[in-house]
Each structure stands twice: as C-alpha cells, then as structure tokens.
C-alpha cells in the first residue's frame, strides 16, 4: 500500500479551503494503480467528452513489458487496463486523440535483430486495437510523441540512430489508415532527440528537440519549422554553453511558441524550470528561468483560462529538499512563478502529462518505489490543490501522530506527539518555498514549543524525527 505524502507551497487561496473541507467531500483525488513487484509507468493522460480518463504508458504485468492503456471513470476509479504487445520489450511514450473518440499511442519495440523499432497503435475507447504500424529498419527508432493532422493522418517524432553511433531526429507521417507516407531525418555530427511535433493551422509543422550538434555547447534546444512535407523553413537553436533540455512546446493562440523544459544555471548545477516565448518566425521574445535550491524540470505545460501557464514535472525544491516529487506549478503569462505544489510518496515521483479538466487539471505521473513502479493520476483544483489537504495529510502520515496547537496561531504554538520522538528538526517554509525558520531539538521530546515571528498568512511546517517525516500547513493571524 502506498503512503501519500503531500507537500504544498501555494497561493493564499489555500487558506480558504484547507481547514474547512475534508478530502471525501472534494471532487479532487490522487490515485495509484499497480501491484507489488510490477513495473508500470504512466506517460500521458487524456479525458474524452463523456468524462472518462485514459492513462497511457507501459506495464510488465503480463510478464513482458508492453504498452498499457488504463481507463478511469471521471472520479478516478479504474474501469479496465489493457496491454498491447508481443513477447519482447515494448513501451508506449505518448498518447493522443484520434477521430471518433479513438486514441493513438506511439513508442518503441525491441527488435532482437536490429535494436528498437518505432511503433504506433490505434485503439478505440473500449480498448480494442484497430491497427498497428511499425517503422523498422536496420537502425534504432523510437517514437516520443504523436499527433493527428488535419487530413486525418498522423505525425510522429522521436529519434533514429545514424551510421556513426549517434542519434538524429526522426519525423514520420502516416496516413489515417496507419500506412507510411514519408520519413524525414534531421541531425548533425552528434546527438539529437525530438520531443514534440505540432501541425499549425496553415499546414506547416513545428518540431522541437534537444541537440548537441548545434548551438552554444552542450545540449541546446532546437526548434524547426517545416513545410507540410517536412522540408525545412527555418531551424534555430536556443540556449547557452550550459545543458538545456526541451520537453515540449505549446502553440499560443497568436501563433507564438511556448518552449519549456529544464536548464542548468551554472556548470553541473541542479536543473531549473525554463519557459521561453518564441515568435512564429523563430525569434526569442522572452525567457524565464525559475526554481529553487533543488532540481526542477517541466515535462508538460498547458494554459489556463486566464492566460497563465500550468506545468507538471518533477522537483524537490518545494518539499523541504526530500526526494524528487511530482510538481504542479503556475506562472503568469511571462513565466513568473505564482505558486508550486509538490505531491509524492517516499520514493521518486514524476509528473509526465497535464491536461485541463472541469474546474482543475488532470496529471499523469509515475511513482517509483522499491520493488515496483505505479501508475499515478491526480485531479487538482485550479490552485493545484487537493481540497481538504489537512485532513488527508493527517490520515496518511507515520504511526506516531502529532498535533499543532493552536492552529491558526500568532506564531507561538506547540507540536505535540502521541509518543516521544528523538532528535526533532523543525523547518517552516513560506509560500514561495523559502525557508524562514529552523530549529533542532536534541534527545527525546513529546512536546516542543515553537516561537516563530512571521507575517500573517499560510506556511508549510516540516518536521523530521526518529518517527519519520511530517508536513502540515500552519496559519498565522
């Protein structure tokens, strides 16, 4: 059974809900799906018109690693899971819509003779496979992202090995039937890996990737604009002499390109988030780099109804510096951070996909635990919260229970444990994730007074001791 740890550094709206609603009264949820000793990883999420939710990824529940599709009700309850594959290693890395509520998956399949092949599956909403398309050569191919085009066909991007031990971008166009129409490669003297491809309204194509062949050094972001048949219109790189990685690109209503991912801020530094706005002609308009003391990366991004950006990925900057967790963050229209919330288990948790949902957002994630990895999905509010967080947190934490009294307080309160704990470290974080208070109590303690001189508002209280790690929201009036 997974234990859920929830860490929150959020906007002031947090105050309105946290003390008044229980999790059971909320439509929001976090759900885990998996079995002990089974490796299951979710990479993408969709919601169709009837409210059903689909998680795409892969699982070895059959004994082989296969593409997997999990269907959930709008409340997050599992309806079925199906796997697709053969007797060798297959993985699905992308899930997207097709016509008539059908779905398409792309990924890779191990070919015991030549390496990996690029695979595409079309599946209906009942989980029935309609067709399979395989791109197989004497090289290695992998499909990272798939999207349906205006003519009913599909664009798939990923990578293909070259003759010199490196990888190039591969772009594949399939007909609506899955038949191959054309393949294009883009590369240089080193590695390139494509992350996303999108067809624009005029039929041209935007393709984004990471490159070591071009740019200022190390890995840089590469964005190409192509004709409808894959011919290059322009090809530019974005970055510096540090390591930069693009995880995707969002097409704004005015045609601007919103690139996002991770970047170093100095050599060998932990990654920070980046968001960069680029004109339709390829000129950088602005770039914002943000994050905390830990490691931060954005894997998926959407825009909310007010023009702000919501992203998911991973971070340990907003959870007190613990293991990597799922992060959900909101920035304004210029990439300035408004809030960031972290959710996770004791192991590593990563958010791979985010989509808009009714009154909030749905996230596809994977929880990496010792002995097994699980599918995870979250449905959070527009503030990135599971309403009723206080009550939910109390029911999930370590067997030694605690209370904070009074809460709210004027900054003078007591932490009271049911049993004495050893070597208690207490830290308080403000809404930006900045540590504003720290104390350490040696020896055994059951009751610890805290005197914190802070401003009015919400804070996150982090406690580490012999009984485990505890996190609770506290309010100062």
């Amino acid at each position: 059974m997974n234990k859920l740890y929830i860490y929150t550094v959020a906007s002031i709206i947090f105050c309105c809900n946290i003390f008044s609603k229980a999790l059971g009264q909320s439509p929001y949820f976090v759900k885990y799906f998996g079995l002990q000793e089974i490796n299951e990883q979710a990479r993408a999420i969709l919601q169709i018109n009837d409210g059903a939710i689909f998680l795409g990824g892969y699982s070895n529940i059959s004994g082989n690693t296969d593409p997997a599709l999990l269907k959930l009700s709008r409340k997050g309850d599992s309806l079925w899971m199906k796997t697709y594959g053969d007797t060798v290693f297959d993985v699905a890395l992308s899930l997207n819509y097709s016509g008539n509520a059908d779905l398409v998956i792309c990924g890779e399949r191990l070919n015991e003779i030549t390496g990996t092949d690029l695979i595409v599956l079309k599946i209906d909403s009942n989980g029935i496979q309609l067709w399979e398309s395989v791109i197989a050569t004497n090289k290695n191919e992998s499909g990272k992202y798939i999207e349906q085009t205006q003519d009913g066909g599909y664009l798939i991007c990923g990578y293909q090995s070259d003759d010199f031990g490196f990888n190039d971008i591969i772009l594949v166009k399939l007909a609506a039937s899955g038949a191959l129409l054309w393949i294009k490669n883009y590369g240089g003297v080193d590695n390139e890996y494509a992350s996303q491809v999108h067809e624009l309204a005029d039929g041209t194509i935007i393709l984004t990737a990471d490159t070591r062949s071009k740019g200022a050094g190390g890995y840089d972001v590469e964005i190409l604009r192509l004709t409808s048949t894959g011919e290059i219109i322009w090809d530019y790189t974005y970055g510096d002499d540090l390591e930069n990685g693009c995880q995707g690109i969002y097409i704004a209503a005015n045609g601007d390109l919103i690139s996002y991912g991770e970047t170093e801020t100095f050599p060998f530094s932990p990654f920070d988030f980046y968001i960069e706005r680029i004109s339709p002609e390829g000129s950088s308009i602005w770039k914002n780099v943000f994050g905390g003391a830990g490691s931060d990366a954005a894997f998926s991004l959407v825009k909310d109804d007010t023009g702000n950006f919501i992203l998911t990925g991973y971070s340990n900057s907003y959870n007190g510096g613990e293991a990597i967790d799922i992060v959900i963050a909101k920035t304004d229209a210029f990439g300035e951070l408004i809030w960031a919330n972290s959710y996770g288990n004791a192991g590593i948790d990563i958010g791979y996909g985010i989509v808009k949902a009714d009154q909030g957002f749905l996230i596809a994630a994977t929880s990496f635990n010792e002995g097994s990895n699980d599918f995870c999905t979250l449905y959070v509010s527009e503030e990135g919260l599971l309403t009723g967080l206080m009550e939910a947190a109390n029911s999930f934490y370590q067997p030694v229970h605690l209370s904070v009294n009074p809460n709210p307080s004027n900054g003078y309160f007591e932490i009271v444990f049911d049993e004495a704990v050893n070597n208690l470290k207490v830290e308080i974080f403000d809404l930006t994730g900045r540590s504003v208070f720290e104390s350490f109590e040696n020896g055994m303690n059951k009751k610890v007074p805290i005197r914190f001189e802070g401003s009015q508002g919400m804070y996150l209280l982090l406690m580490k001791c012999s009984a485990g790690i505890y996190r609770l929201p506290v309010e100062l009036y």
Side-chain angles (χ1 to χ4, degrees), residues 32-52:
Y32 293 88
F33 307 92
L35 299 172
Q36 194 67 27
E37 308 300 328
I38 298 297
N39 176 24
E40 295 176 317
Q41 298 192 31
R43 292 302 182 95
I45 190 166
L46 298 175
Q47 187 173 33
I48 60 175
N49 291 337
D50 65 3

Side-chain angles (χ1 to χ4, degrees), residues 25-261:
Q25 298 170 313
S26 166
Y28 305 109
F29 57 76
V30 57
K31 298 286 182 80
Y32 293 88
F33 307 92
L35 299 172
Q36 194 67 27
E37 308 300 328
I38 298 297
N39 176 24
E40 295 176 317
Q41 298 192 31
R43 292 302 182 95
I45 190 166
L46 298 175
Q47 187 173 33
I48 60 175
N49 291 337
D50 65 3
I53 300 163
F54 290 91
L55 283 175
Y58 50 95
S59 170
N60 67 352
I61 194 169
S62 67
N64 304 303
T65 298
D66 295 316
L69 186 64
L70 178 64
K71 185 175 183 178
L72 311 175
S73 72
R74 67 169 63 244
K75 295 181 179 180
D77 299 319
S78 177
L79 300 177
W80 49 254
M81 186 179 83
K82 298 187 180 183
T83 59
Y84 311 86
D86 52 22
T87 58
V88 294
F89 183 89
D90 306 70
V91 297
L93 301 175
S94 177
L95 168 70
N96 219 324
Y97 298 99
S98 186
N100 302 318
D102 294 333
L103 309 169
V104 281
I105 288 173
C106 78
E108 64 185 51
R109 169 176 296 164
L110 179 63
N111 183 317
E112 295 176 339
I113 299 174
T114 61
T116 58
D117 299 331
L118 188 155
I119 59 170
V120 179
L121 305 174
K122 184 172 181 179
I123 300 164
D124 71 16
S125 58
N126 295 312
I128 298 171
Q129 182 176 316
L130 302 176
W131 51 253
E132 174 186 89
S133 183
V134 180
I135 307 301
T137 69
N138 60 354
K139 300 178 180 180
N140 292 318
E141 293 89 16
S142 179
K144 177 69 184 296
Y145 186 84
I146 185 168
E147 183 172 281
Q148 189 170 35
T149 52
Q150 298 172 66
D151 62 4
Y154 304 92
L155 286 169
I156 305 98
C157 68
Y159 72 84
Q160 183 179 56
S161 62
D162 63 18
D163 296 327
F164 305 100
F166 298 104
N167 294 300
D168 293 333
I169 297 165
I170 187 172
L171 180 63
V172 177
K173 177 66 184 290
L174 300 182
S177 64
L180 176 64
L181 296 179
W182 49 258
I183 297 176
K184 297 286 185 178
N185 292 103
Y186 314 92
V189 297
D190 209 308
N191 283 319
E192 280 80 30
Y193 300 93
S195 53
Q196 274 193 9
V197 62
H198 300 290
E199 183 188 42
L200 303 183
D202 64 0
T204 60
I205 296 166
I206 291 293
L207 176 63
T208 187
D210 297 343
T211 178
R212 279 182 65 95
S213 298
K214 308 170 186 177
Y219 274 103
D220 284 323
V221 175
E222 181 177 12
I223 301 176
L224 303 90
R225 187 160 188 168
L226 311 171
T227 68
S228 60
T229 56
E231 303 302 321
I232 296 175
I233 299 172
W234 53 253
D235 179 0
Y236 297 131
T237 59
Y238 308 82
D240 46 34
D241 58 356
L242 302 173
E243 299 295 332
N244 304 271
C246 180
Q247 298 294 339
I249 201 159
Y250 176 87
I251 310 299
N254 69 346
D256 285 351
L257 314 174
I258 312 299
S259 171
Y260 57 87

Side-chain angles (χ1 to χ4, degrees), residues 306-371:
T306 62
N308 298 311
F309 299 113
I310 310 293
L311 64 85
T312 192
Y314 69 74
S315 174
N316 64 348
S317 292
Y318 305 99
N319 63 0
E322 300 303 316
I324 292 291
D325 283 326
I326 303 158
V327 68
I328 306 164
K330 179 178 182 177
T331 76
D332 65 16
F334 298 95
E336 295 292 338
L337 182 65
I338 298 173
W339 50 251
N341 302 334
S342 295
Y343 299 89
N345 280 307
I348 293 174
D349 303 88
I350 298 175
Y352 287 104
I354 185 168
V355 294
K356 291 174 65 175
D358 185 33
Q359 299 181 345
F361 302 92
L362 286 161
I363 294 94
T366 297
S367 180
F368 298 88
N369 303 293
E370 185 176 352

